[in-house]
Amino acid sequence: TQAVGETPVLRVLESYSQDLVTEQEQKDDLRQITRQISNTTRKMNVILLKVHQPREKAVIEQFKAIFAQVRALIPELQQQFKELCAIVQSNKEYTKFSYQWKTLISSFTFTLAFMNYFENNGKIIPKSDVEHQLGLDVINQTNTTGNEILVELEDYLYGLCTLPSEMSRLCVNRATAGDYDMVIDLVKFINDLNSGFLLLNLKNDFLRKKYDSIKYDLKKMEEILYDLSIRGLIKKNS
């Protein structure tokens, strides 16, 4: 029997009330741990930005000290992702809120990729290494629920697309310090990165727009290199 004042429309919409409450509770569960992860990745990036401070010509040893400070925070981040994975594994519904941690993974990818460039002779960090640094490979090996957190390819690529912005800034600072060899190396690396992205058929609009910024950062870096060249500060065949 239909209650007084109740209509079929009200009855249908009211049935979804608890669903909304449940969804909000799920978001709140994730928000607390993702906020902690965000704070940790932010601290990492603040430390990493110290690479722009040195004005000496030789800075690699200073960079190593900065990177050591960043890496000291990785165990904390791994523990936070372990807690996040435990929440996600408990209920497959949580995976629909992946947007809460995807940008954090991209940010961490950028941090690792930046350090890896200097620590491994200009090489780019593989996606599998990012997963390993987060501890996700170990966590997912013991996961039997099928609800996994992974470093998705698009999030990894987005993190790489962030590199040229900071490297173009570093290029300016290194040119000012007279470290022309690093300027040449940075330009070459970003040029290679740009060429590599040209080989990819990017379907994600957000990622494609982010890739477009690489071209502008590269142009800025090439202008610095050209200016140094015409002033006779570097050899033209460099």
Side-chain angles (χ1 to χ4, degrees), residues 89 139-148:
Q89 289 171 14
I139 293 171
N140 290 332
Q141 281 178 2
T142 58
N143 176 22
T144 58
T145 66
N147 306 329
E148 296 181 331

Side-chain angles (χ1 to χ4, degrees), residues 40-51 63-77 107-108 110-112 114-115 119 133:
T40 303
T41 55
R42 192 179 301 114
K43 284 190 290 185
M44 286 179 164
N45 286 334
V46 168
I47 295 172
L48 191 66
L49 291 180
K50 291 179 181 179
V51 298
F63 281 11
K64 288 180 179 178
I66 293 169
F67 298 159
Q69 294 178 49
V70 174
R71 291 194 179 280
L73 292 172
I74 290 181
E76 178 182 334
L77 191 65
S107 176
F108 184 60
F110 155 73
T111 301
L112 286 180
F114 190 97
M115 295 190 297
E119 293 171 338
Q133 290 290 330

Side-chain angles (χ1 to χ4, degrees), residues 5-118:
E6 186 181 70
T7 68
V9 172
L10 291 176
R11 189 163 59 250
V12 169
L13 293 179
E14 187 179 16
S15 69
Y16 296 127
S17 177
Q18 185 56 45
D19 292 338
L20 291 174
V21 172
T22 300
E23 184 168 302
Q24 187 58 49
E25 290 174 347
Q26 292 170 344
K27 287 181 180 179
D28 291 341
D29 287 343
L30 290 172
R31 188 171 290 117
Q32 183 175 0
I33 185 62
T34 53
R35 187 179 295 120
Q36 293 176 25
I37 293 173
S38 178
N39 288 338
T40 303
T41 55
R42 192 179 301 114
K43 284 190 290 185
M44 286 179 164
N45 286 334
V46 168
I47 295 172
L48 191 66
L49 291 180
K50 291 179 181 179
V51 298
H52 297 296
Q53 294 177 0
R55 288 294 177 264
E56 300 85 356
K57 187 173 181 180
V59 290
I60 296 301
E61 291 304 315
Q62 294 182 57
F63 281 11
K64 288 180 179 178
I66 293 169
F67 298 159
Q69 294 178 49
V70 174
R71 291 194 179 280
L73 292 172
I74 290 181
E76 178 182 334
L77 191 65
Q78 290 175 338
Q79 179 59 36
Q80 290 165 345
F81 264 91
K82 186 176 181 179
E83 294 174 20
L84 175 61
C85 287
I87 295 174
V88 172
Q89 289 171 14
S90 68
N91 188 334
K92 67 179 181 180
E93 291 295 318
Y94 284 107
T95 56
K96 66 184 177 184
F97 303 119
S98 62
Y99 62 87
Q100 291 198 31
W101 62 77
K102 287 169 70 69
T103 55
L104 302 176
I105 288 177
S106 292
S107 176
F108 184 60
T109 297
F110 155 73
T111 301
L112 286 180
F114 190 97
M115 295 190 297
N116 190 78
Y117 168 81
F118 290 99

